Amino acid sequence: MVSSVKNTVNLVLFTLIAGCVAPAIQEDVSTEFSKEGLHAVRSSGFDEAYVHPDAGLAEYKSVNIEALQSADVHITQTVVSGTTRRDWQMTTERQANLANAWGDACDRAFSRYSRDSSAGKMLKITSKLTRVTPGRTSSTNTAVSGQIVIGSADTVDVEIEIRLYDQSSEELLAVIRDRRTIATILWSKSEGANMGNVFNSWAGLLYTRVSGE
């Protein structure tokens, strides 16, 4: 059982902004990540979050941000009204655009971190898009990932998994999974080049959890 003191100290990285529900780490090790000793975290701001109680992520002062992987993303359907099959294909250009957009978002979010391993403990950040579910319709006026949807509009759910490792030991420290609902046009047009706002949101929240700020 993890002590309440240790829980408090190690959950600094998952502290939410003022006014939000405070996160809580579960005492039992996650079944999925029992080998790695990760515990599920509630109210992290992400759909799912798992962390090692002794991760000490705030102690890392440099990061190695690997390229976003998207070649194997599962797209649940490719026949969507108003789009073509190509809009849902993981072309080389689309993969490059997505990787560039994610890299730019992380560079901005982690601009205060060194990329030099000699600067101290280095955190390796890997990420991959895991699932894209198109074809859902929003029938209310709402903001969808920064885009105002008025009346009705087709939307798509985009899911990501982010893993954090100690660069030296390759120990898995944390796993984060999240899903965002966006207007279909943001995914289907411009070969994925319009995903910047979504990626900025993910990267910004990730920075907050890692740094503890």
Side-chain angles (χ1 to χ4, degrees):
M1 180 179 296
V2 181
S3 70
S4 59
V5 173
K6 179 179 287 187
N7 285 350
T8 300
V9 171
N10 289 302
L11 279 174
V12 168
L13 73 145
F14 287 107
T15 300
L16 299 179
I17 59 174
C20 294
V21 178
I25 187 172
Q26 295 185 1
E27 293 185 349
D28 296 332
V29 175
S30 164
T31 301
E32 182 177 359
F33 298 106
S34 58
K35 182 179 179 181
E36 294 84 0
L38 304 188
H39 294 240
V41 180
R42 296 189 301 272
S43 303
S44 67
F46 295 103
D47 287 343
E48 298 178 43
Y50 305 88
V51 66
H52 194 286
D54 297 319
L57 297 185
E59 299 173 7
Y60 287 82
K61 302 305 179 185
S62 61
V63 291
N64 170 23
I65 303 170
E66 297 197 344
L68 174 74
Q69 301 300 306
S70 60
D72 298 326
V73 62
H74 176 58
I75 301 176
T76 60
Q77 61 174 312
T78 58
V79 181
V80 179
S81 176
T83 65
T84 66
R85 288 186 179 276
R86 180 177 173 80
D87 292 332
W88 303 98
Q89 292 175 351
M90 293 309 299
T91 63
T92 300
E93 182 179 1
R94 184 181 296 275
Q95 293 175 52
N97 286 340
L98 292 170
N100 288 337
W102 176 248
D104 290 344
C106 287
D107 283 343
R108 284 189 291 270
F110 288 87
S111 61
R112 295 171 55 185
Y113 279 65
S114 171
R115 301 309 195 263
D116 183 355
S117 59
S118 65
K121 296 174 64 177
M122 174 171 276
L123 186 69
K124 182 171 76 172
I125 302 174
T126 69
S127 56
K128 64 178 180 179
L129 294 184
T130 56
R131 187 180 181 91
V132 172
T133 308
R136 197 157 64 84
T137 300
S138 171
S139 58
T140 59
N141 297 355
T142 186
V144 183
S145 293
Q147 305 297 314
I148 301 300
V149 176
I150 301 175
S152 64
D154 288 333
T155 62
V156 55
D157 291 339
V158 180
E159 301 178 36
I160 194 171
E161 179 177 285
I162 303 168
R163 296 195 172 209
L164 309 179
Y165 298 85
D166 179 88
Q167 179 71 35
S168 297
S169 67
E170 290 291 333
E171 178 184 4
L172 180 63
L173 303 176
V175 176
I176 292 167
R177 293 169 179 156
D178 202 47
R179 177 182 62 190
R180 296 294 171 91
T181 300
I182 63 174
T184 297
I185 193 171
L186 294 182
W187 174 271
S188 63
K189 303 304 180 184
S190 302
E191 288 281 12
N194 293 328
M195 294 289 289
N197 287 341
V198 182
F199 288 167
N200 286 336
S201 176
W202 268 328
L205 183 56
L206 178 64
Y207 166 79
T208 301
R209 301 302 174 261
V210 169
S211 67
E213 296 181 359

